């Protein structure tokens, strides 16, 4: 395992890849994004986009964007569903979440609700590939050397995604994030992106 973190040249290369990749993806996917936005707007009351506070690089809080896939006020009833949580180690995941709308359920099957995060990538808050972006209450459970994962920008996808994010306990996930930051290369990012496509299309993340 190499020294943890990215050099300045590696950070510049990764940022350039993010900007080019996210820009091209937004251009190619624009018709789909407009269709999804219309479907969300017409199917249920509330805004098209949902912004959720996440912990980014160096512990900075940012608002991660998604197409809204839940009813308005979903976060306010999260604790009432805690007993139905199917994830381990501090993460929260319910396969049949009653807060999810019909259109939201369709989008989530192949992670289409995540596409607005391309804007987070362009804004420099996220990377195409990186550690999983945690909500504040999940991040508060991470201590000691594992917090070094925050030296790398969180990603739209990562090793945590292709290994099955819903099935990995959080303590194991942060170790995977650490190994990603310690062994980063542009080719590792390329391999993760290529593996993410069949993973998502196969719906194994649900």
């Amino acid at each position: 395992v190499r020294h943890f973190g990215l050099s300045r040249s590696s950070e510049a290369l990764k940022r350039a890849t993010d900007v080019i990749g996210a820009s091209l993806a937004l251009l190619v996917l624009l018709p789909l994004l407009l269709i999804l936005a219309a479907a969300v707007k017409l199917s249920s009351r509330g805004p098209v986009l949902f912004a959720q506070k996440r912990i980014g690089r160096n512990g900075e809080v940012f608002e991660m964007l998604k197409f809204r896939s839940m009813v308005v006020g979903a976060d306010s009833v999260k604790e009432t569903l805690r007993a139905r949580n199917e994830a381990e180690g501090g993460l929260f995941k319910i396969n049949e979440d009653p807060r999810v709308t019909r259109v939201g359920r369709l989008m989530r099957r192949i992670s289409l609700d995540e596409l607005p995060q391309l804007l987070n990538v362009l804004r420099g808050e996220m990377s195409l590939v990186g550690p999983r972006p945690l909500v504040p209450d999940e991040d508060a459970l991470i201590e000691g050397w594992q917090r070094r994962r925050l030296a790398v920008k969180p990603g739209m996808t990562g090793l945590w995604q292709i290994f099955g994010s819903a099935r990995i306990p959080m303590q194991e996930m942060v170790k995977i994030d650490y190994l990603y930051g310690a062994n980063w290369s542009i080719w590792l990012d390329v391999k993760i992106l290529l593996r993410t496509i069949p993973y998502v299309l196969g719906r194994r993340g649900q």
Side-chain angles (χ1 to χ4, degrees):
V1 176
R2 295 188 288 105
H3 178 71
F4 189 86
L6 280 63
S7 66
R8 288 187 178 181
S9 59
S10 294
E11 286 187 357
L13 176 60
K14 187 172 175 62
R15 179 59 183 157
T17 303
D18 284 340
V19 171
I20 294 172
S23 299
L24 289 175
L26 283 170
L27 182 62
V28 171
L29 296 173
L30 181 59
L32 174 61
L33 293 172
L34 293 176
I35 291 172
L36 291 174
V40 172
K41 189 65 177 179
L42 295 173
S43 64
S44 61
R45 181 179 60 86
V48 170
L49 296 179
F50 173 68
Q52 186 178 49
K53 293 186 183 302
R54 298 285 178 123
I55 305 300
R57 186 179 182 185
N58 297 325
E60 295 183 359
V61 179
F62 72 99
E63 291 192 331
M64 189 179 79
L65 301 175
K66 293 185 177 184
F67 281 122
R68 183 175 56 82
S69 62
M70 292 186 174
V71 296
V72 173
D75 274 350
S76 65
V77 297
K78 179 179 178 179
E79 290 305 314
T80 66
L81 300 170
R82 184 68 66 177
R84 297 173 57 181
N85 184 25
E86 299 170 13
E88 299 179 13
L91 298 175
F92 187 82
K93 178 79 172 182
I94 302 176
N95 281 332
E96 297 298 328
D97 196 321
R99 301 172 297 170
V100 179
T101 65
R102 182 170 57 181
V103 169
R105 188 164 288 108
L106 292 173
M107 289 192 298
R108 285 182 166 206
R109 286 182 181 175
I110 52 174
S111 300
L112 294 176
D113 59 314
E114 309 282 350
L115 292 178
Q117 289 163 36
L118 291 167
L119 296 175
N120 290 117
V121 174
L122 286 182
R123 295 195 312 210
E125 299 160 334
M126 295 180 67
S127 178
L128 292 175
V129 182
R132 177 170 176 161
L134 299 177
V135 296
D137 60 340
E138 293 172 347
D139 177 76
L141 300 175
I142 309 300
E143 300 177 339
W145 63 268
Q146 294 176 338
R147 295 202 64 77
R148 295 182 69 187
R149 67 190 292 277
L150 296 177
V152 182
K153 288 180 185 179
M156 290 184 64
T157 186
L159 290 174
W160 51 270
Q161 170 74 290
I162 60 179
F163 286 164
S165 59
R167 297 186 292 273
I168 301 177
M170 187 163 65
Q171 292 302 316
E172 295 301 316
M173 183 193 68
V174 296
K175 293 177 184 177
I176 293 172
D177 287 341
Y178 183 90
L179 290 174
Y180 168 80
N183 295 280
W184 181 85
S185 73
I186 193 65
W187 303 117
L188 177 59
D189 276 6
V190 170
K191 286 189 289 186
I192 291 172
L193 286 169
L194 291 177
R195 289 186 63 182
T196 296
I197 296 172
Y199 180 90
V200 169
L201 294 179
R203 301 180 184 178
R204 287 179 286 172
Q206 303 302 312

Short mmCIF file of all heavy atoms in Angstrom, two decimals, residues 16 29 32-33 43 53 67 76 91 102 115 131 136 146 162 199 201:
data_model
loop_
_atom_site.label_atom_id
_atom_site.label_comp_id
_atom_site.label_asym_id
_atom_site.label_seq_id
_atom_site.Cartn_x
_atom_site.Cartn_y
_atom_site.Cartn_z
N ALA A 16 -9.39 16.90 -14.00
CA ALA A 16 -9.60 17.07 -15.43
C ALA A 16 -10.49 15.96 -15.98
O ALA A 16 -11.39 16.21 -16.79
CB ALA A 16 -8.26 17.09 -16.16
N LEU A 29 -26.72 12.81 -21.99
CA LEU A 29 -27.89 12.37 -21.23
C LEU A 29 -28.96 13.45 -21.08
O LEU A 29 -29.99 13.21 -20.44
CB LEU A 29 -27.46 11.91 -19.83
CG LEU A 29 -26.55 10.68 -19.76
CD1 LEU A 29 -26.08 10.45 -18.34
CD2 LEU A 29 -27.28 9.44 -20.29
N LEU A 32 -32.64 12.45 -21.63
CA LEU A 32 -33.10 11.57 -20.56
C LEU A 32 -33.33 12.37 -19.28
O LEU A 32 -34.33 12.15 -18.57
CB LEU A 32 -32.09 10.47 -20.32
CG LEU A 32 -32.36 9.54 -19.12
CD1 LEU A 32 -33.69 8.80 -19.31
CD2 LEU A 32 -31.22 8.56 -18.94
N LEU A 33 -32.44 13.29 -18.97
CA LEU A 33 -32.58 14.10 -17.76
C LEU A 33 -33.86 14.92 -17.80
O LEU A 33 -34.56 15.06 -16.78
CB LEU A 33 -31.36 15.02 -17.60
CG LEU A 33 -30.03 14.32 -17.32
CD1 LEU A 33 -28.89 15.33 -17.40
CD2 LEU A 33 -30.04 13.64 -15.97
N SER A 43 -45.59 13.36 -11.33
CA SER A 43 -46.06 12.18 -10.60
C SER A 43 -46.35 12.42 -9.13
O SER A 43 -47.11 11.67 -8.51
CB SER A 43 -45.03 11.05 -10.72
OG SER A 43 -43.81 11.42 -10.09
N LYS A 53 -27.72 16.88 2.74
CA LYS A 53 -26.41 17.22 3.29
C LYS A 53 -25.54 15.95 3.40
O LYS A 53 -25.97 14.95 3.96
CB LYS A 53 -26.55 17.88 4.66
CG LYS A 53 -27.20 19.26 4.60
CD LYS A 53 -27.17 19.94 5.95
CE LYS A 53 -27.88 21.29 5.90
NZ LYS A 53 -27.31 22.21 4.90
N PHE A 67 -32.47 13.25 -8.23
CA PHE A 67 -33.88 13.40 -8.58
C PHE A 67 -34.67 12.92 -7.37
O PHE A 67 -34.37 11.87 -6.79
CB PHE A 67 -34.24 12.58 -9.80
CG PHE A 67 -33.84 13.20 -11.11
CD1 PHE A 67 -33.01 12.53 -11.99
CD2 PHE A 67 -34.30 14.47 -11.46
CE1 PHE A 67 -32.63 13.11 -13.19
CE2 PHE A 67 -33.93 15.05 -12.66
CZ PHE A 67 -33.10 14.37 -13.52
N SER A 76 -38.11 13.32 7.69
CA SER A 76 -38.71 13.55 9.01
C SER A 76 -39.31 12.30 9.62
O SER A 76 -39.55 12.24 10.83
CB SER A 76 -39.79 14.64 8.90
OG SER A 76 -40.87 14.20 8.08
N LEU A 91 -25.35 2.16 8.59
CA LEU A 91 -26.01 2.59 7.36
C LEU A 91 -27.50 2.35 7.45
O LEU A 91 -27.97 1.58 8.28
CB LEU A 91 -25.41 1.84 6.15
CG LEU A 91 -23.93 2.08 5.88
CD1 LEU A 91 -23.45 1.18 4.75
CD2 LEU A 91 -23.66 3.54 5.55
N ARG A 102 -43.73 5.96 -6.88
CA ARG A 102 -43.72 4.98 -7.96
C ARG A 102 -42.65 5.29 -8.99
O ARG A 102 -41.90 4.40 -9.41
CB ARG A 102 -45.11 4.94 -8.63
CG ARG A 102 -45.23 3.90 -9.74
CD ARG A 102 -46.67 3.76 -10.18
NE ARG A 102 -47.23 5.03 -10.61
CZ ARG A 102 -48.49 5.18 -11.02
NH1 ARG A 102 -49.31 4.16 -11.01
NH2 ARG A 102 -48.91 6.37 -11.41
N LEU A 115 -28.21 10.67 -11.22
CA LEU A 115 -27.59 11.41 -12.32
C LEU A 115 -27.34 12.90 -12.04
O LEU A 115 -26.34 13.45 -12.52
CB LEU A 115 -28.41 11.24 -13.60
CG LEU A 115 -28.41 9.84 -14.21
CD1 LEU A 115 -29.31 9.78 -15.43
CD2 LEU A 115 -26.98 9.40 -14.56
N PRO A 131 -14.69 7.70 -2.46
CA PRO A 131 -15.34 7.11 -1.29
C PRO A 131 -16.84 7.42 -1.28
O PRO A 131 -17.29 8.40 -1.89
CB PRO A 131 -14.64 7.80 -0.11
CG PRO A 131 -13.33 8.26 -0.67
CD PRO A 131 -13.61 8.63 -2.09
N PRO A 136 -24.34 13.15 7.69
CA PRO A 136 -23.63 13.51 8.93
C PRO A 136 -23.72 12.49 10.06
O PRO A 136 -22.72 12.24 10.74
CB PRO A 136 -24.29 14.84 9.32
CG PRO A 136 -24.67 15.45 8.01
CD PRO A 136 -25.13 14.29 7.17
N GLN A 146 -9.54 5.92 10.17
CA GLN A 146 -10.51 5.74 9.09
C GLN A 146 -11.02 7.07 8.54
O GLN A 146 -11.52 7.13 7.42
CB GLN A 146 -11.67 4.89 9.59
CG GLN A 146 -11.26 3.45 9.92
CD GLN A 146 -12.39 2.64 10.49
OE1 GLN A 146 -13.36 3.18 11.02
NE2 GLN A 146 -12.28 1.33 10.41
N ILE A 162 -19.42 -1.26 -6.44
CA ILE A 162 -19.32 -2.51 -7.20
C ILE A 162 -19.18 -3.72 -6.29
O ILE A 162 -19.41 -4.85 -6.72
CB ILE A 162 -18.15 -2.46 -8.21
CG1 ILE A 162 -16.81 -2.24 -7.51
CG2 ILE A 162 -18.39 -1.37 -9.25
CD1 ILE A 162 -15.63 -2.20 -8.45
N TYR A 199 -22.88 -3.46 -13.30
CA TYR A 199 -23.40 -3.64 -11.95
C TYR A 199 -24.76 -2.96 -11.80
O TYR A 199 -25.73 -3.55 -11.32
CB TYR A 199 -22.42 -3.08 -10.92
CG TYR A 199 -22.88 -3.23 -9.50
CD1 TYR A 199 -22.56 -4.35 -8.76
CD2 TYR A 199 -23.67 -2.25 -8.90
CE1 TYR A 199 -23.00 -4.49 -7.45
CE2 TYR A 199 -24.13 -2.39 -7.61
CZ TYR A 199 -23.78 -3.51 -6.89
OH TYR A 199 -24.25 -3.65 -5.61
N LEU A 201 -26.80 -1.81 -14.25
CA LEU A 201 -27.79 -2.37 -15.19
C LEU A 201 -28.31 -3.71 -14.72
O LEU A 201 -29.45 -4.10 -15.01
CB LEU A 201 -27.19 -2.48 -16.59
CG LEU A 201 -26.86 -1.15 -17.28
CD1 LEU A 201 -26.24 -1.41 -18.65
CD2 LEU A 201 -28.11 -0.29 -17.41
#
